[in-house]
Amino acid sequence: MDEDSQETRLFAAFERHDEFVAAQNTLLAVDLFAEPSRGEDDMELDCSRKLIMIFGEYQEQSYLLDPYLESLVSPVAECLRKYAMTCVNARGTQSSRSRVERLADLLHNYIKFRGYKTITRFFPHEVADLSIALDFIRLPSGPVQDLSQWALRYAVLLWLSLICRIPFDLQKFDDATQSGETANAIELVGKVRLNMAGLEREGAASLLARFYARKDTKQQFFSFVEWSITVFRSSDIILSIGVLQVLCELVKSGSSEQLQAFTQQFLEITDTLEQNTTLANNTLVRKYRTKLLSRVALRLMPPKVSRSKLTFRSLDGDIKNETGHRNVDDDDEDIDVPEEIDTVLESLFKSLQDKDTVVRWSAAKGIARLSERLPSDFSSQVFETILGLFSIHSVVGASIYDTPAIAEATWHGASLASAEMARRGLVQTAALGSLLGWLSKALYFDIRKGAHSIGSNVRDAAAYVIWALARAQDPESFSPYARELAQWLVSVALFDREIHIRRAASAAFQEHVGRMALFPHGIDVLRKTDFYAVSVRRNAFTVAAPQVAEHLEYRSYLIDHIISITLRHWDVAMRELGAQALRRICELDLRTLGLECTSKIAGFLHSVDASDVHGALAALTGISEAYRVQESEENSSNRQKIFAFIATVSQDTIMASRNGLVLAAACDLIASSLTLQEVELQEKSSVPHWKRIIDQGLRHKSSSVQQAAAAAMATTSSLTDCSPDVHRLIKDFRRGPQSLQQSLGYTLGVLNYNAHPHGFSEVVKCLLDSVDSNSSGRMSSVEARRNCFQALPKIIANVLPHLTEYLIAESMCGVLDALDSGLDDYTMDERGDIGSWVRMACIQGLASIFEDLFRVSGSIPEFASYLPAQRYHSVIARILRQGVERLDNVRQIAGHCLLRLFRIPLPSVPHQEEWRIKGSQLMMKLFLNDPSDAMTSWSVGEWLFPKAVELLRVREYRQPLLMGLIHSVGARTGSTHRPVSSSLVSFAQGLPLPPGDSDYSLFELCDDLIEFAQGKTTSNAVVVPILQTFNMLLEADVLSHLSSVDNGPSKLEKLLNIATRNVLRLKNVQRVQESMKIVVNLLVFSSVSKSSSERIIDFLSHPYPKIRTSTAEYLYTFTQSRDLGWEADEAVEELLLETEWSSESMQVNVAATRVSELLSCAITE
């Protein structure tokens, strides 16, 4: 799993304040009742987008705007007030919808940014504002009624809710004859919008909650409660959620006297919700029901001073614990706990096991808040009940992995509740051991379910509990558990699969180090496992873990965690990283830890679970590699012991086709632990079937297994002569299925030909025949050919010290020819351009061989015969072509290899300048002059193509390079097509017209393009991009003076012939359309205009309706927008516009003939 370790930028202050204010003032200065012009609208839209962008930039640090909020929000709210007042006083006045929407959207962004409770404080809240806001939102045809103005309605509803908090008599706004009119109007405004999903419901709920909390609305609230019960019985989900939001907000902020009178009605409402199946199935309904229950219970209990404690360290290093009131328990006996509390707690415990996280989270907070007001004995019983939830799905003696998947919700709810209790100092010292016992299991709650696992939320919540405990518990109570807890947290921070859990465990560890100072080596370990160190999983496993293991207090626990958990993990990536981490830790004391870990790991080799076996084999491979790196007689003996463990794994397990991972791990283990003694023992070896394992791996269909088996063969080849095996492999695999062909390339490329010959000449001949397009032995599989191409440079590198003994010059040239021919592989299938795999392998292979040959050139007597200079430059030109073609990844590989070749020193041979890359000074200036260029990817077309076209001035590389650029012109992706097209046009505009003293001319460019097209007239892949290129040049007037030079008209005639040749028989629509554009664009050239006009009929009467229609459109646009040098007849325009070119009637042919005749007449005149 990829994890992004780059964090959002952190700010120290609101740095963009002035820019923000300027943009906001621009928006507020506009007239909301005037429609903006197009320019004004664009400017205001830009300002709005800038404000939204700044909001997004500071979203994670929204508190930085707090000092400026009043000066920022007040003008916006005042602008809304003035607008509302004008709308109310001058009814029917039309306003600008877009400007009002931007104003409301700005207010909404403030609310989203900092929360409505903070922002509404800066809204106007005079008594007189009530009539303005209320009349504005009730305007029958006002802007508020526009469906798209939801942000405006939301802002006005919040404004009204703020005004309702002012203690004034609503009846003062009523008419003398209509008492209660204002209150009824406010209530109606809120009720109507409770049935709307989204923010309007939030605003309406806030309004009604503030409204019913008033002392003069008691009667309305009684009616609302009765109405709410009928709503819940009707099963209207949207309205029920809105009503619940009102009740929850009201119970939170209303007066106790008012609410206690309705306690029974509230409990009845919660019972109704539970019994209604439709509502009970909705997550939000269950969440608000839980919230309502907990808040009603809180209102039943008297307020009480918090028992929460805060643990901290003073500057002198002493641990201190601060408690608000130490005698709070003395009054416990005076508290009368209502009977309803038991019922509420029972319901909250049930919600704690809900299937949805938001419900469990709400229940956890409710239980903790309620426990804070209960007597100590009662809250202790509550906590015991919470701990009892952990044991519901637990079996005595079973591990956490035996827990059923259904336990996830229960464990998560119990962990959340424990954390909330711990935060408030409600965990007694006597219960701490029991809690930590369950947390030790919750930290590793990871249960596989199908192709994924569940439990990450449980592990996260467990880390939260431990973090909360550090803030409220006494260090003395924690000291017996400190060492064990430190080991738990460190192992989770280093080895958990999920990034957020590793960070959570690291944060909990940091909290304990800072507040308790009980963890061994706390500061040092914290530095190694901080937020950033554990953010990248590979870094946590392979860097941080070995650093922590340097401390003996953690080493054995980390090793045990890797062996018992990580190596048995369901995710293969975790097992492989665990094996790497174990190797790094063992290297700290390989002599002791190697054998100790090996003996523990060996027990899993008998497991029936393939994951256990794979993890054990991967770990043994890592330890064996460590022994091989630190080579000694003792370590060689230990490697033999590890090799013998392969025999303990059932052959059926290794050889099973479904166990590819196990087979690959077994091959890797053979590769790392095989010794000469075992090879010489043959059938008497401790693992007699090790050769069959390798052979099975080579025949496996998975490429990863094949590569592992090839690595095992490479180890074998360094110990003994494998010529018979190589001969058998070539014979069996070359004609076999595609998977066997792929395996052959992997294997032949990694054998150690320096130690033993292994039939070297036969290997080279096999590889060359496998990729030769003229050979009957050519492999049909593109993957197999790619592997063979990759094997050739590996073989050359392998025998490089004795190159002349293994390869004669002719054979070396044959290898280069084969790799060069691979650059022409453009195989296509349903996966796309799969030939690019071969081309990339050949580019890398050629660059690698050139580097190797240059490095040992002094030891090659006839270097020029091994690498002729002309051949070298030919290959460089073809790599350059790949560097400008349409595929980004191919360009990137080619560019990287070219830059490598630029930097290597010339061969140490006579006339070494012959091998200097042509135009190297120009290339260095273009690609390596600026240090940033070396870091820029050749896959970025906007950067590459303006530089690459300049290389057309290098004559030796011009033809292949131009061909590559032409291919990119035909690319379907805009990121390639646009920059290469514009770059070619700009380059052509700067070229002189006739050939002269310059490196290149426009005449030569046209000559080259026409020559390419004439040589490949049947290839649409070549002709279409060339026609596209000519159209670009013609449309940009680059070729406008071509007919004025010698042979210029003949070039235009050739271009016309290419475009119109067999046009009626062509099936490729794109080619026909590009040909049509060529013919139309040539109408401006007097030398070919008449011929072009005569060929227009071929396109206007083409069998394809699409061609006829596009020809008419293009021709009409062309005649209207270009200076033709002659005047087109109006009848031409009339025919082009009025003829139904997509129809199949004879009228189309008549019109086409007539257009062609009229054009010819106009040109002749």
Side-chain angles (χ1 to χ4, degrees), residues 113-220:
F113 181 76
R114 205 66 186 100
Y116 79 90
K117 294 179 182 177
T118 302
I119 298 302
T120 51
R121 297 204 310 260
F122 307 112
F123 280 21
H125 46 275
E126 300 294 331
V127 175
D129 293 330
L130 176 63
S131 59
I132 298 173
L134 188 58
D135 291 345
F136 178 62
I137 202 170
R138 294 169 65 203
L139 284 175
S141 57
V144 177
Q145 307 306 324
D146 189 343
L147 290 177
S148 65
Q149 298 283 12
W150 58 268
L152 181 62
R153 291 191 291 275
Y154 178 52
V156 176
L157 286 169
L158 290 178
W159 185 20
L160 269 173
S161 73
L162 177 66
I163 297 171
C164 283
R165 300 180 67 178
I166 304 174
F168 64 90
D169 191 355
L170 289 175
Q171 291 185 355
K172 291 182 179 179
F173 291 87
D174 297 340
D175 291 339
T177 57
Q178 295 181 325
S179 178
E181 177 189 13
T182 303
N184 292 336
I186 294 174
E187 185 177 33
L188 182 62
V189 165
K191 276 188 172 182
V192 167
R193 287 166 176 80
L194 276 183
N195 202 21
M196 296 181 177
L199 287 176
E200 292 174 66
R201 184 179 65 205
E202 311 278 339
S206 178
L207 168 62
L208 289 175
R210 300 300 181 191
F211 174 74
Y212 292 133
R214 296 174 59 89
K215 292 182 179 181
D216 55 357
T217 56
K218 291 182 179 179
Q219 185 58 41
Q220 285 92 337

Side-chain angles (χ1 to χ4, degrees), residues 602-622:
F604 295 117
L605 296 175
H606 301 281
S607 174
V608 295
D609 188 344
S611 297
D612 291 355
V613 178
H614 171 256
L617 290 173
L620 290 173
T621 301

Side-chain angles (χ1 to χ4, degrees), residues 172 312 451 736 1038 1158:
K172 291 182 179 179
F312 61 93
V1038 176
L1158 290 172

Side-chain angles (χ1 to χ4, degrees), residues 8 124-125 174 374 597 650 707 759 847 850 950 1008 1059 1094 1125:
T8 308
H125 46 275
D174 297 340
L374 293 172
C597 293
S650 166
Q707 291 175 12
F850 290 159
E950 295 295 328
D1008 290 337
E1094 293 172 353

Side-chain angles (χ1 to χ4, degrees), residues 4 9 48 76 79 103 163 219 378 404 408 442 504 562 603 641 674 870 958 1001 1046:
D4 188 5
R9 180 189 169 192
S48 180
V76 183
C79 184
L103 175 67
I163 297 171
Q219 185 58 41
F378 205 141
E408 180 198 21
I562 293 174
K641 294 176 182 177
L674 185 64
Q870 184 179 358
R958 181 179 300 157
S1001 67
D1046 294 341

